[in-house]
Amino acid sequence: MISFYPGPSKVYPQIPQYVLEAQQQGLLSINHRSEEFVAMSARTIQLLKQRLNIPESYQVFFVSSATECWEIISQSLVQHASFHVYNGAFGEKWYDYARKLQPAAHGFSFGQEEKLNPNLWQVPAEVELLALTHNETSNGTAVDMEILKSIRQLHPQRLIAVDATSSMAGAHLDLSLADVWFASVQKCFGLPAGMALLICSPAAIRQANTLGENRHYNSLTSMIHHMQSWQTTHTPNVLNIYLLMRTLENREGIEQTAQTIQERYTRWMQDLQALPYASLLIKNAAVRSQTVIAVEALPEVILQLKESARKAGIILGNGYGIWKTTTFRIANFPAIETYEIEKLRTFLQEFR
Ligand SMILES: *Cc1c(COP(=O)(O)O)cnc(C)c1O
């Protein structure tokens, strides 16, 4: 089966071979305080910094999921309130989690066809952190780097946290424009689920240390402490760290990857706009995601399309949340191979 599901998504074809290597090298049972682990962790972070253009002064942490990052941020970086800007299900879920930990959290929702305008926000004085979703996986929208830049200029004294779960390692992000970035690895990283990366600027590290929150196994202060020797607070997903290291060794830099993703996206736009039975969910090209494409059609068409696709060996992404029955989604992630894209293109053109 060929999967276009936007997470968990298709993993790199080399993964089975890397798993075998890990087993042969005895890595599956190594101690996470051992020298071998420390060397692997340090090398993986060094490769991440190189391949993703992470500023040298930023710190990288291994965590379990993007959902965990939502909680870490509220628990370890927010004393009074965070301000959540969202236009879809994942951004809203983050806001829901934040409110449970910090009832004073604020929300600001905007339309999915709307270009985000930070001049419209009324951010209360006590807010110390702004929370945004770079790539809203539920509806296939994304926030432009230019907008992040203007948010930075409007809020120089506040931390900016960005959920980039379905774009990091696929889109070219200017990480210097925010203080906290995170993504789980089962999307653009093309790895099995069960791990996420949390990336923090020096300002975020300072804020964590100032607040000094240390009541949880995943308190950021404890994570910072352990990462000084490339370690984690708990036994991490050692196999996935190894798989991340091996895939990064063989991946090109993010500029080249993003270029390929953009070319594939342009071609998808031409193809999808020509389909007689479907249309793009997001009409405004300026806010469309390049890594997750949502396509709209009548519920009966969607149903039939997914069923025929499955028979043809292709898994399409279900619609998410309120778009469950009226859309399907196509992951435009780096691990998907050209021949697979060709197969789906032909299928969609020949459908009905
Ligand atoms: C998939 C996704 C999540 C949740 O990721 P988990 O690894 O399941 O916690 C959060 N945010 C966005 C934008 C996502 O696409």
Side-chain angles (χ1 to χ4, degrees):
M1 289 300 260
I2 301 174
S3 175
F4 286 89
Y5 222 98
S9 50
K10 198 217 149 171
V11 298
Y12 277 104
Q14 296 84 1
I15 295 298
Q17 181 207 324
Y18 295 157
V19 173
L20 190 65
E21 272 175 29
Q23 191 267 333
Q24 286 164 346
Q25 294 175 21
L27 280 170
L28 297 183
S29 322
I30 61 167
N31 188 298
H32 61 294
R33 306 286 174 219
S34 67
E35 270 174 43
E36 285 149 291
F37 175 81
V38 166
M40 180 172 82
S41 168
R43 173 159 171 73
T44 307
I45 290 172
Q46 180 201 9
L47 281 165
L48 272 169
K49 285 194 163 178
Q50 285 170 2
R51 297 289 190 266
L52 300 184
N53 289 345
I54 301 173
E56 208 32 63
S57 61
Y58 280 42
Q59 290 196 31
V60 181
F61 303 96
F62 299 115
V63 293
S64 305
S65 67
T67 305
E68 184 187 8
C69 295
W70 293 340
E71 290 210 350
I72 292 172
I73 289 166
S74 288
Q75 135 203 315
S76 295
L77 289 174
V78 180
Q79 185 171 27
H80 303 288
S82 48
F83 187 90
H84 296 257
V85 178
Y86 59 90
N87 77 348
F90 284 98
E92 190 171 8
K93 240 187 207 177
W94 183 2
Y95 176 39
D96 290 342
Y97 272 89
R99 258 186 307 184
K100 287 185 202 171
L101 295 180
Q102 297 273 358
H106 300 269
F108 178 92
S109 70
F110 64 108
Q112 60 182 29
E113 296 288 345
E114 225 177 285
K115 202 166 167 176
L116 191 56
N117 180 357
N119 293 304
L120 300 177
W121 310 346
Q122 288 177 344
V123 183
E126 85 266 19
V127 166
E128 59 248 289
L129 180 137
L130 306 172
L132 292 110
T133 304
H134 171 254
N135 201 76
E136 180 48 75
T137 320
S138 66
N139 57 21
T141 58
V143 176
D144 203 88
M145 287 300 117
E146 285 304 312
I147 297 173
L148 270 188
K149 201 180 275 179
S150 60
I151 298 172
R152 205 31 149 192
Q153 280 158 3
L154 284 166
H155 300 275
Q157 77 289 13
R158 297 193 161 101
L159 293 178
I160 301 169
V162 184
D163 180 344
T165 299
S166 54
S167 53
M168 189 188 289
H172 191 187
L173 307 169
D174 181 350
L175 301 181
S176 73
L177 295 176
D179 300 290
V180 183
W181 293 85
F182 57 92
S184 34
V185 297
Q186 73 273 20
K187 298 188 183 169
C188 287
F189 282 95
L191 295 173
M195 185 167 80
L197 300 166
L198 174 65
I199 302 172
C200 293
S201 74
I205 301 290
R206 267 198 306 279
Q207 170 82 341
N209 286 329
T210 305
L211 295 186
E213 183 281 309
N214 68 352
R215 287 169 300 163
H216 303 272
Y217 86 97
N218 59 4
S219 291
L220 197 45
T221 48
S222 313
M223 288 169 43
I224 294 166
H225 172 74
H226 280 94
M227 205 25 102
Q228 283 170 354
S229 51
W230 310 103
Q231 295 180 33
T232 50
T233 56
H234 58 289
T235 316
N237 191 332
V238 176
L239 175 59
N240 235 340
I241 295 172
Y242 178 75
L243 299 177
L244 176 61
M245 181 183 81
R246 294 292 283 120
T247 48
L248 287 171
E249 283 171 348
N250 294 313
R251 275 183 78 156
E252 46 195 0
I254 189 62
E255 293 92 343
Q256 291 96 305
T257 304
Q259 178 72 32
T260 306
I261 294 299
Q262 184 166 3
E263 284 162 14
R264 288 174 170 184
Y265 165 80
T266 305
R267 195 135 175 244
W268 272 128
M269 289 304 108
Q270 290 163 358
D271 282 9
L272 295 168
Q273 281 167 327
L275 294 179
Y277 56 83
S279 57
L280 295 166
L281 174 67
I282 303 301
K283 316 297 175 202
N284 180 1
V287 302
R288 239 182 254 142
S289 158
Q290 299 206 342
T291 52
V292 178
I293 303 164
V295 185
E296 189 176 38
L298 293 171
E300 54 268 32
V301 175
I302 298 279
L303 212 64
Q304 225 178 48
L305 190 74
K306 283 197 297 203
E307 207 178 286
S308 314
R310 195 170 271 277
K311 282 183 194 142
I314 300 168
I315 300 172
L316 294 171
N318 285 331
Y320 197 93
I322 58 169
W323 298 282
K324 205 168 185 66
T325 58
T326 55
T327 64
F328 69 89
R329 292 173 301 160
I330 300 174
N332 184 22
F333 292 168
I336 294 169
E337 291 162 278
T338 309
Y339 83 89
E340 297 175 311
I341 296 173
E342 290 310 316
K343 192 163 174 195
L344 177 55
R345 291 183 70 211
T346 309
F347 169 82
L348 290 173
Q349 276 158 11
E350 288 173 356
F351 179 72
R352 282 217 297 196

